[in-house]
Amino acid sequence: QPNAFCYHQAILACEHAGSVRQALGYLEEMEAAGIDANIYTYTAAVQVCSTRGAFRRALELVDTMCAKGPKPTSVTFNVLLRGAIAADQLDIAAKVLESMPKLGAQPDAYSFSMVMNGYAKEGDVEEALRWLRKMPKKLVSNMTYHGLIAALCDAGLTQSALPL
């Protein structure tokens, strides 16, 4: 008899197959079978939607999690942030990052770095540096600066990277 773990694995396989429809179908199948979707199955579905061009659907899944549970974790939000940045939705990524604490998930260094580096790659140095300043000091490391400098250099903004 399938359980939540089986569905989690099946949903993850949908990412490799590129099938958002099938991943969401597994969530519906779970509900019909009386199996509660857990943080792993939801996060996997968010990942499939985020990486396979259904970013709006990923946002809806996170909204469902916030409303009905299980509550999204920083891992869930980081998956969503990666998807937003991949979909060129940096402003949405920034809003997601800002909303995480209110929704019970603390952003980590990776959360901040994704948004900060996204802005740097777009050439928006001021916004990237604003996110660096917003990042809690305890999360800032050499890797934070390395990522930001690399993103600025990739964007052809080597002179902006030098003062860092």
Side-chain angles (χ1 to χ4, degrees):
Q1 190 70 310
N3 59 22
F5 178 77
C6 295
Y7 280 105
H8 171 247
Q9 294 302 310
I11 292 168
L12 284 177
C14 292
E15 181 180 8
H16 299 291
S19 181
V20 171
R21 183 181 312 207
Q22 185 63 51
L24 297 174
Y26 284 133
L27 283 179
E28 291 171 6
E29 191 177 305
M30 287 178 72
E31 186 176 332
I35 301 169
D36 291 332
N38 61 30
I39 190 66
Y40 303 106
T41 52
Y42 266 120
T43 299
V46 169
Q47 182 170 322
V48 173
C49 291
S50 290
T51 59
R52 294 298 177 176
F55 180 70
R56 292 284 174 201
R57 186 63 180 109
L59 281 171
E60 291 170 7
L61 286 171
V62 171
D63 286 345
T64 298
M65 293 172 74
C66 290
K68 296 186 345 186
K71 297 296 182 206
T73 65
S74 61
V75 172
T76 308
F77 282 111
N78 284 347
V79 166
L80 188 62
L81 288 170
R82 256 193 331 267
I85 292 164
D88 292 324
Q89 301 289 324
L90 261 174
D91 290 340
I92 291 175
K95 288 177 186 171
V96 167
L97 180 55
E98 286 177 337
S99 70
M100 286 174 65
K102 290 178 251 165
L103 297 171
Q106 288 306 310
D108 55 23
Y110 186 57
S111 311
F112 280 97
S113 293
M114 280 189 287
V115 172
M116 182 176 55
N117 295 345
Y119 280 110
K121 285 178 184 175
E122 282 199 347
D124 192 341
V125 177
E126 286 307 312
E127 193 63 14
L129 293 176
R130 187 177 79 80
W131 280 102
L132 177 61
R133 288 188 298 272
K134 287 180 90 169
M135 190 174 185
K137 297 292 182 230
K138 68 181 181 181
L139 298 179
V140 177
S141 70
N142 288 342
M143 291 306 296
T144 306
Y145 286 102
H146 174 77
L148 180 57
I149 291 167
L152 289 167
C153 290
D154 287 347
L157 300 168
T158 309
Q159 291 301 317
S160 296
L162 289 176
L164 296 175

